[in-house]
Amino acid sequence: MLILNPGEYVNGHLPSMPENLLMNITRALKGGKDGGTFTIRYCPNMHPFIINNCGHPIERVICTVDGCGREIGDKTHRSQDTGLKQLEIPKGYILDGSDEELSVGDSFWRYEGATQIRRITEVSCTLIRLLIHLALLIRNAAISEGCKELQKLLQKTDATEVTEFLKRQAIGYFRLLGKITQLNDELLSVALHQLLSNLPQTFNQWYPNGLNGTDLTTTYEFEKKFESRYRGFFEQTTQFCELNNRSKLIVDEEEDLKAMISEIEEKKEFDSFYREQYVPHLFLTIHKISFDDLAHRFMAEPSLESEYPLLYHVMCAKDELWSVKYLPVIGQWMKHVYFHFSRQISQRECQGKTITQTIEEWEQKGYKSEVESYRQLWSGFKTCWNALANQKVKNDCKSFVIPALCDDNSISLEFSTAQNNENGLIIVKIIQLLQDAHNAFLEGVMIESKMHANNEEKYEDSNQVQKVMGKNKPLFDIHRNDVVFLDKAQVTEIIRQWSLPSLECGAINQNRNNILDLSAIENEITYRFIKNRQFLEIDIPFFQFSNQLNIKNCVAIVEEHNTELKKRVNGPAIIEDFSFFVEISK
């Protein structure tokens, strides 16, 4: 529609357009950086208020501008009657092409009561604006004498002004998109090529009969579909790099290689058989090493274990060690669960409440701004759990198998609570497994390093790995710097950074024989993931159900939160008197 009939949007609503003419204020609030969403609304006397995040006020305040005195806001996030007004959304093209507009990405997030009206992030908003200006450039170039509809839409006086403005906007939004996605011009061009090659098919699936209007409802629905489809599109950096490299190889094959081979054969053409059989052996072959490659090398060369003990333990690590990094996530997820439900629900209610119901309940209670972080914590909790699923663990004289967690609609909240029996016992054993893996790794490295202390300078510093037994660390206070935070993808990246790929003519089918700086790799892993880590004794708080609040437990709770009651200058402590009274009253 933009290319064929741009005049339709003179009195219509273009996607990604601002909701008011005060966008420079909200961009200034971002401090020149991308991130954050702000909505401008007005009190009944038309005094502006700037609301961050979802645009729905979660507190009630008095407007003090010019002695207004009107009460506005909402404490529940459910009511649509907040006392604030949303002015009529401007129609047409309302971008100004300012430096501020082209340096900070816009995003829009607005609720009315419990209903989300609009949500579009900086990536999607900037991408839509880039596509809009490219489409308008095509329309402008198609009419040599200038398009009157474009001049009216953009509020420009002549064709030259339209052309210069559209070029500046297209270039500006291309650069802004690169800044937001952190892709250079080359990779961003590859990414846009991939996107544009599939966009027509995607659009036709959404709208088989074309976009059926320029009203706000239709426009916001299009933004919603676009946001859902392309929000994470530019995160495929590895794929874009591979496509970019492949395109360079194709260019080389079509030009340089053909010329070289034609000289060898003294002819301008060669058949596919010759190309397949001989061309690969004329060039240097580059192999990138992987984590598995180095692991196999340690297995094939036992002497490396004594030379590089820490690296050996990393290469031979079991699943438990790679899951230790989730301990902070487990602690934070359980901390939120305890905060919202401990001593407030019975065990039966906890068993019947699913994860989906729990998160929905938090949303309904007005925790919408935190819900996304809750979801991420739950995702990490579940990922760690399932990485250890089907393992057999012991509890006293008995043993049981850790079950897998599948559908959030059926997973009981009880699995997120620590108890000494039933489902709550499983997470206790998982935490202990991770604690043991953490301590065993540090102990193994310590023993090996003492045996071969003269090999590496890092082992001479005994403060890098300290064994502090008996010092408890509360589960809720565990940070990533407290644990062996190994990540296989990052370890692989370190290996590649300190490796020199093999370069041999005719090595297309030979095994990899990369040159590695194992000492540098080991030092890098030590510094990033292991340095200053200590042995852990994790204090796991047990979840308390409301039906457990008998007199004895209540005394324990009072004692826990009122330590001063344990002390008395003359006579026994008050808490002891109360405990004695409880005993004799039985």
Side-chain angles (χ1 to χ4, degrees):
M1 185 183 295
L2 269 177
I3 296 178
L4 298 178
N5 193 10
E8 287 289 326
Y9 283 101
V10 173
N11 294 310
H13 293 279
L14 271 167
S16 77
M17 291 295 112
E19 298 183 343
N20 54 67
L21 302 178
L22 302 176
M23 286 303 298
N24 282 341
I25 296 178
T26 61
R27 292 173 189 137
L29 289 173
K30 294 183 178 184
K33 299 179 180 179
D34 298 312
T37 302
F38 299 90
T39 301
I40 298 179
R41 295 200 180 187
Y42 298 83
C43 83
N45 290 327
M46 299 306 296
H47 299 130
F49 280 79
I50 300 176
I51 308 167
N52 66 343
N53 293 333
C54 68
H56 188 100
I58 56 175
E59 59 179 321
R60 298 193 70 83
V61 297
I62 302 297
C63 178
T64 59
V65 180
D66 297 332
C68 174
R70 300 299 293 269
E71 186 178 18
I72 57 172
D74 176 33
K75 291 184 178 180
T76 65
H77 207 293
R78 292 191 293 270
S79 173
Q80 294 188 8
D81 184 16
T82 62
L84 291 169
K85 296 180 180 180
Q86 172 72 42
L87 298 187
E88 182 180 355
I89 309 297
K91 295 181 179 180
Y93 182 96
I94 55 175
L95 300 174
D96 57 14
S98 63
D99 292 339
E100 293 81 5
E101 178 184 291
L102 298 177
S103 60
V104 179
D106 289 339
S107 59
F108 304 98
W109 188 14
R110 178 162 57 87
Y111 268 83
E112 290 184 5
T115 304
Q116 181 171 281
I117 303 301
R118 189 183 193 190
R119 180 71 187 271
I120 182 170
T121 57
E122 294 162 350
V123 171
S124 301
C125 183
T126 306
L127 175 58
I128 290 176
R129 290 180 183 178
L130 173 60
L131 297 178
I132 286 175
H133 289 94
L134 291 177
L136 294 179
L137 273 172
I138 294 174
R139 171 69 179 186
N140 185 61
I143 302 177
S144 57
E145 66 274 12
C147 177
K148 299 297 182 182
E149 290 183 346
L150 276 183
Q151 295 175 25
K152 185 176 181 181
L153 175 64
L154 302 177
Q155 302 177 33
K156 305 298 178 184
T157 57
D158 56 58
T160 302
E161 188 179 6
V162 168
T163 301
E164 293 302 317
F165 178 78
L166 288 177
K167 285 182 179 179
R168 183 178 186 276
Q169 290 290 85
I171 294 172
Y173 280 113
F174 178 85
R175 290 173 177 169
L176 179 58
L177 185 61
K179 172 186 174 184
I180 295 173
T181 60
Q182 297 184 344
L183 297 177
N184 59 33
D185 290 354
E186 192 173 17
L187 288 182
L188 183 58
S189 300
V190 172
L192 289 173
H193 176 79
Q194 286 295 105
L195 186 145
L196 292 172
S197 64
N198 297 318
L199 182 59
Q201 295 87 339
T202 303
F203 184 86
N204 289 334
Q205 291 175 359
W206 293 344
Y207 303 101
N209 300 319
L211 199 62
N212 53 358
T214 61
D215 58 284
L216 272 179
T217 302
T218 303
T219 299
Y220 287 171
E221 181 63 27
F222 170 78
E223 288 181 351
K224 181 179 179 181
K225 293 177 183 290
F226 196 92
E227 169 78 11
S228 176
R229 176 66 178 82
Y230 294 108
R231 176 177 52 200
F233 179 81
F234 294 98
E235 297 174 3
Q236 308 172 79
T237 310
T238 302
Q239 180 181 343
F240 299 149
C241 289
E242 291 176 354
L243 289 172
N244 187 39
N245 294 335
R246 193 183 307 166
S247 66
K248 291 179 179 179
L249 288 175
I250 290 174
V251 171
D252 290 343
E253 286 184 359
E254 294 298 326
E255 297 177 6
D256 298 338
L257 302 189
K258 273 191 176 181
M260 185 180 299
I261 298 302
S262 64
E263 290 177 7
I264 294 173
E265 291 291 328
E266 297 181 350
K267 62 181 183 180
K268 295 299 181 181
E269 296 181 356
F270 55 94
D271 57 29
S272 59
F273 175 80
Y274 185 92
R275 179 174 177 173
E276 292 175 0
Q277 293 294 319
Y278 299 103
V279 171
H281 298 279
L282 296 175
F283 305 96
L284 295 175
T285 301
I286 301 176
H287 290 301
K288 287 186 177 180
I289 196 167
S290 68
F291 180 92
D292 292 336
D293 293 330
L294 186 54
H296 291 154
R297 180 170 173 180
F298 268 82
M299 294 179 186
E301 300 180 38
S303 60
L304 293 177
E305 178 182 354
S306 59
E307 295 180 50
Y308 307 98
L310 186 144
L311 194 53
Y312 169 78
H313 283 281
V314 171
M315 293 297 104
C316 302
K318 296 181 180 179
D319 292 340
E320 292 92 329
L321 184 61
W322 296 107
S323 299
V324 168
K325 64 183 178 182
Y326 290 107
L327 269 174
V329 174
I330 292 174
Q332 289 306 302
W333 167 253
M334 292 178 64
K335 180 179 179 180
H336 289 299
V337 171
Y338 281 38
F339 174 79
H340 290 286
F341 297 109
S342 183
R343 303 171 187 167
Q344 301 179 44
I345 61 174
S346 66
Q347 186 169 9
R348 178 173 294 182
E349 290 173 326
C350 186
Q351 290 171 342
K353 189 183 292 291
T354 66
I355 296 300
T356 300
Q357 291 171 343
T358 300
I359 294 177
E360 289 176 352
E361 183 177 323
W362 287 336
E363 286 184 311
Q364 294 169 2
K365 287 184 177 180
Y367 294 99
K368 287 186 178 290
S369 57
E370 292 89 2
V371 163
E372 185 58 35
S373 65
Y374 291 165
R375 293 186 194 276
Q376 292 176 2
L377 289 174
W378 165 248
S379 176
F381 181 96
K382 184 178 178 182
T383 300
C384 177
W385 183 300
N386 286 333
L388 304 175
N390 300 320
Q391 285 201 33
K392 182 179 289 187
V393 293
K394 290 185 178 181
N395 180 45
D396 296 330
C397 299
K398 299 181 181 179
S399 62
F400 61 86
V401 175
I402 299 175
L405 298 180
C406 301
D407 187 6
D408 291 357
N409 292 311
S410 60
I411 300 174
S412 171
L413 182 64
E414 190 179 25
F415 287 107
S416 301
T417 64
Q419 303 165 55
N420 57 7
N421 55 40
E422 300 182 0
N423 291 335
L425 181 62
I426 302 176
I427 188 59
V428 174
K429 292 301 178 182
I430 287 177
I431 294 172
Q432 290 174 352
L433 272 177
L434 300 179
Q435 172 188 286
D436 293 344
H438 170 95
N439 292 340
F441 175 81
L442 293 182
E443 186 173 10
V445 172
M446 181 181 294
I447 293 173
E448 292 287 348
S449 63
K450 286 181 179 179
M451 294 173 59
H452 308 278
N454 59 337
N455 287 349
E456 295 294 341
E457 180 183 346
K458 62 180 173 296
Y459 294 130
E460 296 175 5
D461 184 4
S462 60
N463 292 324
Q464 286 189 357
V465 181
Q466 303 175 33
K467 185 170 183 178
V468 184
M469 303 303 293
K471 182 179 178 180
N472 290 348
K473 183 76 175 180
L475 175 63
F476 296 163
D477 293 340
I478 289 181
H479 188 266
R480 62 178 294 166
N481 292 332
D482 295 319
V483 298
V484 177
F485 205 83
L486 285 174
D487 181 85
K488 189 167 288 189
Q490 294 184 40
V491 170
T492 301
E493 185 62 29
I494 291 172
I495 293 171
R496 289 180 176 173
Q497 287 176 356
W498 292 100
S499 65
L500 181 62
S502 60
L503 301 172
E504 297 180 11
C505 291
I508 191 70
N509 295 318
Q510 293 182 9
N511 294 327
R512 302 178 183 183
N513 187 28
N514 296 55
I515 300 173
L516 295 168
D517 188 342
L518 297 181
S519 179
I521 294 172
E522 192 173 49
N523 283 327
E524 183 92 11
I525 292 174
T526 302
Y527 179 79
R528 280 207 209 176
F529 308 118
I530 299 164
K531 184 179 180 181
N532 294 328
R533 269 46 169 198
Q534 299 179 351
F535 281 70
L536 285 178
E537 287 292 335
I538 301 175
D539 184 11
I540 307 173
F542 278 20
F543 188 87
Q544 287 190 314
F545 299 107
S546 59
N547 55 328
Q548 293 177 328
L549 295 178
N550 51 40
I551 295 178
K552 185 175 180 180
N553 288 338
C554 286
V555 171
I557 295 171
V558 173
E559 183 178 5
E560 177 185 350
H561 295 283
N562 299 274
T563 55
E564 69 279 1
L565 296 180
K566 295 181 180 181
K567 303 176 181 179
R568 177 186 285 180
V569 176
N570 297 315
I574 297 175
I575 199 71
E576 293 178 4
D577 292 345
F578 187 70
S579 300
F580 175 74
F581 172 77
V582 171
E583 290 297 327
I584 65 174
S585 63
K586 290 183 178 179

